[in-house]
Amino acid sequence: MLVPEDDAAEARKRAHAKGLYPAPLNAGRSRNMQANRRRDTKPEVVLRNALHALGYRYRKDLLLRLEDVKVRPDIVFTKRRVAVFVDGCFWHVCPQHGRQPTTNEWYWTPKLRRNMERDARVNDTLRDAGWSVVRIWEHEALNDAIASVRAALD
Ligand SMILES: [Zn+2]
């Protein structure tokens, strides 16, 4: 990495303020929550709202029962059989931000590993059943996330 992560985040924020960089799905989440408690700024909600505004209709919180796996994707297009997950960088171990925890490693590392294994099993089971699976990191730009969903729907 060319610059420390904090500096990179600051640089992105400044670039975004100038309109140079697309806003990440979780931009300023905690600050936004303080400034405007009524609006849910969770990354999956940001994406859902954007898709809805573009005219897409989907199910949320729909439980899919597949063989030995029960899973609740963040966004489901039932007719097209597309399941969308917006994954948190820490819990799902994003290659950019999901660094291994250094404190309480005996607890966290197996837990994170289990999360990764479950994600892989869910992907395989859904795909075997004929679903398209879209995994989006919470750090991704909204426009990129929308493009990924659209690509799966086409
Ligand atoms: Zn990330």
Side-chain angles (χ1 to χ4, degrees), residues 89 94-98 137-139:
C89 292
C94 140
Q96 280 178 48
H97 311 106
W137 294 112
E138 67 175 348
H139 72 249

Side-chain angles (χ1 to χ4, degrees), residues 50-129:
L51 289 168
H52 195 270
L54 289 168
Y56 290 99
R57 294 299 175 261
Y58 48 80
R59 300 285 304 275
K60 60 170 185 169
D61 299 325
L62 181 67
L63 182 68
L64 304 178
R65 295 164 194 275
L66 298 155
E67 292 172 36
D68 53 338
V69 171
K70 273 193 273 183
V71 64
R72 207 182 290 276
D74 293 306
I75 302 168
V76 177
F77 296 89
T78 46
K79 272 188 211 144
R80 301 237 179 196
R81 292 195 152 219
V82 173
V84 181
F85 298 86
V86 181
D87 292 338
C89 292
F90 177 76
W91 290 108
H92 298 264
V93 194
C94 140
Q96 280 178 48
H97 311 106
R99 64 196 156 163
Q100 294 287 307
T102 49
T103 54
N104 295 328
E105 197 161 339
W106 58 272
Y107 173 75
W108 289 110
T109 304
K111 185 165 177 59
L112 296 179
R113 196 183 59 234
R114 280 198 303 276
N115 285 349
M116 294 171 80
E117 286 166 357
R118 178 176 157 80
D119 290 345
R121 196 168 66 243
V122 163
N123 290 351
D124 287 348
T125 306
L126 280 169
R127 285 173 182 144
D128 285 350

Side-chain angles (χ1 to χ4, degrees), residues 44-56 58 142 146:
E44 63 271 26
V45 178
V46 170
L47 178 58
R48 267 192 214 127
N49 289 346
L51 289 168
H52 195 270
L54 289 168
Y56 290 99
Y58 48 80
L142 178 58
I146 290 169

